[in-house]
């Protein structure tokens, strides 16, 4: 397994692969890897085959964090990440330094961003106004550097995957997007690098996200064809979240899974997403209803 730091070196390598006809599967991450990330690496491998190349990027992208957010304390453990990638059969880790990825940014000499103007407006975009601009920008840059045939994302970040899918289509990136299912802990908590922030009691209360999704699913299932009004379900979710003393609901939304348009009536096959602060840690989850 190779570790590449410089974007220029990464791009030269990717161009060589392209010239020799090797397929490239790419998994962008911010590191502090867990089984969810590893499952994406396996999907990438299946897509490109044994002779293809699997690249994982590990980069905590500063432009997707607001100044008030957890950029400086975001968990990092490169030695462990490297081990997990190696076990998963990854060929190359691309782990650039800030100074190389956004050359000149500190001196005010970086001024190009990619903005998706529709799907990124609500939910995460409403709570974190500059977040998706950072995500689309870094993913576009990573695509230009790694030149993947296939890029694999997690359903855990449903809105992010939708925004990137739109960017790929709108900007004609020559690659295929794959979205892989969310991996969960035994009690249903979606795996996330940020789970490490939770104290033991917060960790228990954090299951309120998946419990909310399951409750809505069963209520909508029992309601039959007509479904249930989103306002009522929002009130119920708020009530359930309020039973966890460390939890504070940021948002819960019901929408159609592709266009992310909010729905007034929630039916089977619809989608929901929520963000909850558990203590100081902001967690997100989503699921099909
Ligand atoms: P992150 O390192 O949090 O930026 O995530 C990198 C990629 O891993 C994104 O495509 C995420 O959606 C995906 N991911 C994060 N958590 C999970 C999970 N529990 N299951 C599957 N994919 C995940």
């Amino acid at each position: 397994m190779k570790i590449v730091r410089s974007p220029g070196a990464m791009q030269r390598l990717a161009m060589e692969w392209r010239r020799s006809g090797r397929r490239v599967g790419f998994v962008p991450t911010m590191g502090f890897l867990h089984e969810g990330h590893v499952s994406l690496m396996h999907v990438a491998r299946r897509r490109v085959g044994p002779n293809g190349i699997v690249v994982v990027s590990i980069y905590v992208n500063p432009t997707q964090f607001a100044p008030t957010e957890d950029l400086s304390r975001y968990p990092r453990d490169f030695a462990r990440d490297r081990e997990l990638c190696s076990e998963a059969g990854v060929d190359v880790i691309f782990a650039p330094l800030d100074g190389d990825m956004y050359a000149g940014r500190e001196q005010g000499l970086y001024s190009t961003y990619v903005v998706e103007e529709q799907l990124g407006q609500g939910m995460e975009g409403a709570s974190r106004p500059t977040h998706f601009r950072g995500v689309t920008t870094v993913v576009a840059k990573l695509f230009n550097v790694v030149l993947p045939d296939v890029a694999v994302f997690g359903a855990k970040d449903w809105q992010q995957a939708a925004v990137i899918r739109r960017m790929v289509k709108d900007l004609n990136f020559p690659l295929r997007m794959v979205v892989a299912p969310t991996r969960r802990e035994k009690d249903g908590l979606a795996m996330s690098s940020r789970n490490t922030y939770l104290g033991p009691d917060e960790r228990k209360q954090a299951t309120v996200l998946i419990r909310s999704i399951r409750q809505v699913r069963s209520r909508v299932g029992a309601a039959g064809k007509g479904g249930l009004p989103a306002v009522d379900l929002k009130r119920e979710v708020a009530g359930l979240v309020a039973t966890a003393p460390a939890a504070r609901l940021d948002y819960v939304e019901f929408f159609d899974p592709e266009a992310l348009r909010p729905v007034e009536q929630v039916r089977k096959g619809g989608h929901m997403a929520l963000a909850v602060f558990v203590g100081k840690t902001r967690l997100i989850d989503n699921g099909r209803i």
Side-chain angles (χ1 to χ4, degrees):
M1 188 176 67
K2 219 185 202 131
I3 293 165
V4 180
R5 292 279 178 191
S6 130
M10 183 69 242
Q11 201 173 41
R12 281 192 292 279
L13 203 53
M15 283 171 165
E16 274 171 39
W17 293 330
R18 193 145 268 205
R19 272 195 292 274
S20 60
R22 296 185 79 176
R23 283 174 62 74
V24 177
F26 177 41
V27 181
T29 83
M30 300 206 297
F32 209 73
L33 303 175
H34 50 67
E35 269 177 53
H37 296 114
V38 172
S39 71
L40 307 187
M41 298 171 201
H42 291 309
V43 170
R45 171 59 67 198
R46 274 200 297 281
R47 293 284 173 149
V48 299
N51 297 323
I53 305 276
V54 174
V55 180
V56 171
S57 65
I58 296 180
Y59 180 60
V60 183
N61 170 39
T63 63
Q64 71 189 67
F65 289 78
T68 51
E69 292 179 347
D70 57 343
L71 172 63
S72 62
R73 58 183 198 109
Y74 195 85
R76 296 158 210 250
D77 187 346
F78 190 73
R80 191 168 160 276
D81 288 350
R82 182 181 181 156
E83 196 62 38
L84 285 172
C85 287
S86 168
E87 282 168 15
V90 168
D91 298 293
V92 172
I93 295 179
F94 175 50
L97 306 172
D98 274 355
D100 292 335
M101 206 53 190
Y102 291 99
R105 185 165 168 263
E106 298 287 294
Q107 301 87 277
L109 296 173
Y110 184 93
S111 53
T112 306
Y113 293 86
V114 176
V115 183
E116 189 287 323
E117 298 190 333
Q118 216 173 67
L119 302 176
Q121 294 297 307
M123 299 191 280
E124 288 303 287
S127 288
R128 308 176 69 190
T130 57
H131 175 65
F132 283 127
R133 176 179 97 139
V135 170
T136 41
T137 299
V138 81
V139 172
K141 287 167 69 66
L142 289 167
F143 284 171
N144 283 332
V145 170
V146 176
L147 307 175
D149 296 284
V150 179
V152 187
F153 294 85
K156 157 86 189 331
D157 299 277
W158 189 266
Q159 188 181 12
Q160 168 176 283
V163 167
I164 294 169
R165 190 185 288 286
R166 177 65 63 84
M167 176 188 83
V168 164
K169 176 171 164 275
D170 287 352
L171 298 186
N172 307 87
F173 280 97
L175 59 89
R176 180 180 289 272
M177 279 261 315
V178 176
V179 179
T182 302
R183 296 293 296 256
R184 299 179 178 280
E185 303 289 353
K186 278 203 183 67
D187 63 3
L189 176 67
M191 289 182 180
S192 163
S193 309
R194 288 190 169 98
N195 292 349
T196 186
Y197 296 146
L198 301 168
D201 195 45
E202 292 173 342
R203 170 64 187 78
K204 284 189 202 127
Q205 295 183 42
T207 57
V208 75
L209 286 92
I210 186 64
R211 285 188 281 122
S212 299
I213 296 170
R214 287 176 179 157
Q215 178 169 315
V216 167
R217 202 176 277 147
S218 94
R219 294 267 295 118
V220 171
K225 271 210 166 61
L228 291 170
V231 277
D232 295 352
L233 290 169
K234 283 184 184 177
R235 203 176 319 114
E236 282 186 30
V237 168
L240 181 60
V241 171
T243 63
R248 180 170 63 79
L249 181 64
D250 182 5
Y251 68 78
V252 54
E253 196 54 80
F254 301 93
F255 52 90
D256 82 275
E258 276 87 40
L260 310 187
R261 267 189 301 267
V263 294
E264 285 184 10
Q265 195 71 7
V266 183
R267 296 187 178 83
K268 245 177 123 154
H271 213 91
M272 78 178 269
L274 74 171
V276 175
F277 283 95
V278 179
K280 289 197 165 92
T281 306
R282 187 171 178 281
L283 301 176
I284 60 171
D285 203 348
N286 72 86
R288 195 185 146 93
I289 302 306

